[in-house]
Amino acid sequence: MLVAAAVCPCPPLLVPDVAAGAAPELDAARTACTDALGVLAASRPDLLILIGPADLAGRGPYPEGATGTFEEFGVDLGVRLGRDLGTVADRPLPASLAVGAWLLARTGWADTPVEALGVGEALEIGRCTDTGRELAARADRVALLVMGDGSACRTLKAPGYLDERAAAFDAAASRALGEADTGALIALDAALGHELKAAGRAPWQVLAGAAQGAGLDGRLLYDDAPYGVGYMVAAWS
């Protein structure tokens, strides 16, 4: 069953080497992510599963030891998912999972087995919650690290330009994440999330499926929209 979860944003700019001179702008988000991962470690899970949005080529499972890189963002930096077990994955981690793997390495995650799952951003709600329930059943004590951003339409300079609906969508998502409200997460409109370029919608609803009946409490650690994109950090335990 699910015993803990951490929710973090997944922009490659979270990695200081990628952000370069702009790195200090996300220092507060990085600190919040570190705190959220501390909650995961304290839960002493039997299995940690990292999930995040992915395009068609990046969807599906990844074993421990899978690698990724930030070369497409102009940085010669590689990451590995958990321990090096001598296995070779047939494809690199997508960007969201590479950021998650970087966060795990940054916080020294080493003891608990870790796997990853790339989730299609358009995955329908029912399949999201079914996937979450399947993940929660993988071990007696499962923890999730859930990567995903809110809307990308909060300002005129945002990647998706300004959409007046974006602030309300992100407010509903951040409230649900902060309160570990699985019903409110499931109620997020998938079509609207797609229009607002909210890459976290599907991963959050996978989390909701995994957490149903687990009785977890939530805490919102960060909620802001630098660059016009909604970034939230939350911890569930």
Side-chain angles (χ1 to χ4, degrees):
M1 66 175 293
L2 187 71
V3 295
V7 178
C8 296
C10 59
L13 288 174
L14 203 62
V15 180
D17 287 356
V18 176
E25 296 174 9
L26 291 179
D27 278 348
R30 292 185 196 97
T31 298
C33 289
T34 298
D35 292 343
L37 265 66
V39 173
L40 295 187
S43 73
R44 299 187 179 277
D46 301 319
L47 174 65
L48 171 66
I49 304 174
L50 165 65
I51 63 176
D55 60 17
L56 183 60
R59 296 172 191 171
Y62 292 82
E64 183 162 21
T67 59
T69 178
F70 294 99
E71 288 181 355
E72 66 178 296
F73 305 102
V75 175
D76 183 15
L77 175 65
V79 292
R80 182 181 303 279
L81 180 64
R83 301 164 296 177
D84 182 0
L85 301 180
T87 56
V88 179
D90 58 357
R91 55 191 175 150
L93 296 167
S96 69
L97 300 183
V99 174
W102 175 83
L103 283 172
L104 289 170
R106 179 174 183 259
T107 54
W109 192 279
D111 297 330
T112 303
V114 55
E115 300 173 6
L117 178 68
V119 178
E121 292 184 34
L123 192 66
E124 62 186 34
I125 296 173
R127 291 186 61 192
C128 287
T129 55
D130 287 346
T131 297
R133 284 189 284 270
E134 292 168 3
L135 295 179
R138 289 283 311 281
D140 288 340
R141 298 181 63 81
V142 174
L144 295 182
L145 172 53
V146 183
M147 309 299 294
D149 303 338
S151 72
C153 303
R154 293 279 292 274
T155 66
L156 291 173
K157 294 184 178 180
Y161 196 64
L162 176 64
D163 190 311
E164 299 293 347
R165 303 170 296 175
F169 180 91
D170 285 351
S174 64
R175 183 169 54 252
L177 292 170
E179 297 175 357
D181 188 336
T182 58
L185 283 179
I186 293 169
L188 291 175
D189 188 312
L192 178 58
H194 177 72
E195 292 176 15
L196 298 175
K197 304 183 185 301
R201 190 278 308 172
W204 297 337
Q205 290 178 330
V206 171
L207 167 61
Q212 285 181 315
L216 302 183
D217 294 322
R219 185 161 52 103
L220 189 66
L221 304 177
Y222 180 86
D223 182 9
D224 203 354
Y227 319 119
V229 181
Y231 297 155
M232 302 96 167
V233 179
W236 295 16
S237 62

